[in-house]
Amino acid sequence: MGSMIGTVHPLLSFGKGLTTDKVFALHNPLSIVSGDNKVWQIIANADEAYASARLYPSWKRTRDLRPNDFNGTKVSLRGLTFHNSALTLHYGATDYFTLWGLPAANKEVHEQSIQDLVNRLSTELPVGVATDNILLLRPEGSEQLNVLMKVSSSGAGFAAGRAAMTIEEQVELTDGHPFATPVRAYKEELGLEVKPEDVRLLGVCMQTVYAYAGLGFVTTTTTSEETLLESWKGAKDYNEATALFVVPVVRLGEWLQDGGVKPDVWEKYASDTRVASGAALQLHPTVLWRATLLKEYLEANSFPTWS
C-alpha cells in the first residue's frame, strides 16, 4: 500500500496485471449492512444490525435527494486476500441508497471503513465495489497504442460530467466472476464485445470521495476508432456518456494536469461530442490512480508511455 494518489488510497497493485484465473470472489449473501430500516430490523447478526441502524441517515439522504434512482442490492467489500499470486475478494451485501449517501450523512462510518481497508484490508462496514476500466486501442497493423477517454453525462449518479479513462461500472450480484463486470460494462456502454482473457486486473483502491473500493482493469482491443464510435451510438447505455476521445498513450500527460483538461487539449481529439465548446473538463476522482497503474503496466510490458 502506497501513499494517496489524489483522493484515492491504493491498496494493492499487480504490475503486469492478474489474469482471470488468478482472481476469485467469495460472496456471503447473509452478511448484510444496510441503512434501509426494512432490512436492518430483520438482520440476525447483532453487530451487523447495530451497524445498519446507524446508517439510516445515509439511506434517507439518497432517497430524499435522488428519489428517481433505483435502490438495488449492491456488493459490499468485506476483505481482500492475496496469496500465491492470486487475489480473493470477500463480499457481503448492502444497497445503493446507503452507499450513495454514506460519505455525507455518516462521515465517521465512511472514514472508519477507509482506515479498516488501508490498515488491514478488511472491514465490517459497507463499501461498494466499482470497476475502473481502461480501454486501450491498437488496431490491427498499427504500431500506435491509444487510450479511450470518456465524459460522463450530467445525470450520472457518480462523477457527473467528469472525464475518465475509460468507464466505471458497479459490481452487481449477478456478475459472478469479477472479470464479468468490465466485460458487461464495455457491452452496455460502448457496444463493444471483449473477452475475459483480454482483461487484466491492475490494482485495488479505496476512494475517499465515494463509499466505494475500485478494481482497476485494463483491456486491449484491435477495434478501430471508427468502428468503436459507431458501436457506441448503438449501445444500450449510450446516453451515459457525452463524449469519447481516442488519445495516443504518449500524449496522455496532457490530460492529467492540475486544474482539469483544458479545451485546447480535448478539442484536438473531438470527433463526436456533446460537450460545450471551450469547457474545461474535470477528472474523475480515480483517474490519477488509474494512470499510475497504466504506466506501471505499460512499462512492465515494454510499451512506450507519456512523460
Side-chain angles (χ1 to χ4, degrees):
M1 287 175 281
S3 56
M4 286 187 69
I5 301 175
T7 60
V8 166
H9 288 277
L11 300 177
L12 297 168
S13 60
F14 307 114
K16 287 189 175 183
L18 299 180
T19 53
T20 182
D21 60 323
K22 293 294 185 181
V23 182
F24 307 92
L26 294 178
H27 187 110
N28 180 2
L30 298 180
S31 178
I32 304 170
V33 180
S34 166
D36 185 345
N37 60 5
K38 294 179 181 178
V39 174
W40 56 256
Q41 289 178 8
I42 61 172
I43 295 174
N45 182 292
D47 290 337
E48 290 178 350
Y50 173 71
S52 294
R54 294 171 62 199
L55 294 169
Y56 177 71
S58 296
W59 182 90
K60 183 177 183 299
R61 176 179 174 82
T62 312
R63 185 198 63 183
D64 293 346
L65 295 180
R66 300 188 66 88
N68 295 322
D69 284 4
F70 173 70
N71 185 32
T73 301
K74 295 296 180 184
V75 165
S76 183
L77 183 65
R78 293 286 185 261
L80 302 161
T81 305
F82 188 62
H83 181 66
N84 289 338
S85 301
L87 176 69
T88 301
L89 301 155
H90 302 269
Y91 290 156
T94 185
D95 68 280
Y96 166 72
F97 276 16
T98 300
L99 292 171
W100 192 92
L102 200 153
N106 285 100
K107 184 177 179 181
E108 73 288 349
V109 176
H110 178 50
E111 291 176 347
Q112 183 60 56
S113 68
I114 294 170
Q115 291 306 309
D116 288 348
L117 286 170
V118 169
N119 294 329
R120 54 188 175 90
L121 296 181
S122 65
T123 186
E124 291 74 42
L125 301 171
V127 173
V129 185
T131 59
D132 297 287
N133 306 290
I134 305 166
L135 185 65
L136 299 176
L137 286 77
R138 195 176 192 182
E140 293 181 5
S142 174
E143 292 299 317
Q144 180 166 291
L145 190 64
N146 300 312
V147 63
L148 185 68
M149 303 294 293
K150 178 211 74 172
V151 179
S152 296
S153 69
S154 59
F158 297 96
R162 292 189 172 240
M165 65 168 105
T166 300
I167 57 179
E168 303 76 45
E169 188 67 46
Q170 295 186 55
V171 175
E172 303 290 356
L173 297 171
T174 53
D175 285 339
H177 194 278
F179 280 50
T181 309
V183 170
R184 173 173 60 83
Y186 288 126
K187 178 63 176 176
E188 292 179 354
E189 297 200 23
L190 298 178
L192 178 67
E193 299 277 0
V194 303
K195 299 176 181 178
E197 54 264 35
D198 295 328
V199 181
R200 298 291 183 271
L201 177 62
L202 302 185
V204 185
C205 78
M206 180 60 198
Q207 301 189 50
T208 58
V209 176
Y210 305 119
Y212 277 80
L215 304 179
F217 288 98
V218 66
T219 304
T220 303
T221 179
T222 58
T223 302
S224 68
E225 177 178 351
E226 294 74 20
T227 300
L228 181 64
L229 291 174
E230 198 60 34
S231 68
W232 171 48
K233 294 175 184 177
K236 170 177 171 285
D237 293 336
Y238 165 71
N239 286 322
E240 290 193 6
T242 57
L244 297 181
F245 308 100
V246 177
V247 180
V249 163
V250 295
R251 304 300 300 273
L252 192 56
E254 298 176 339
W255 291 69
L256 305 175
Q257 303 300 312
D258 292 339
V261 188
K262 301 296 190 292
D264 63 331
V265 172
W266 68 258
E267 287 179 349
K268 292 187 293 186
Y269 302 99
S271 55
D272 187 354
T273 174
R274 286 164 280 162
V275 176
S277 178
L281 302 176
Q282 298 304 309
L283 295 174
H284 186 282
T286 66
V287 162
L288 296 180
W289 170 69
R290 279 184 249 187
T292 300
L293 292 178
L294 178 59
K295 197 162 195 176
E296 291 174 355
Y297 171 77
L298 294 173
E299 291 173 346
N301 288 282
S302 301
F303 285 113
T305 66
W306 61 96
S307 57

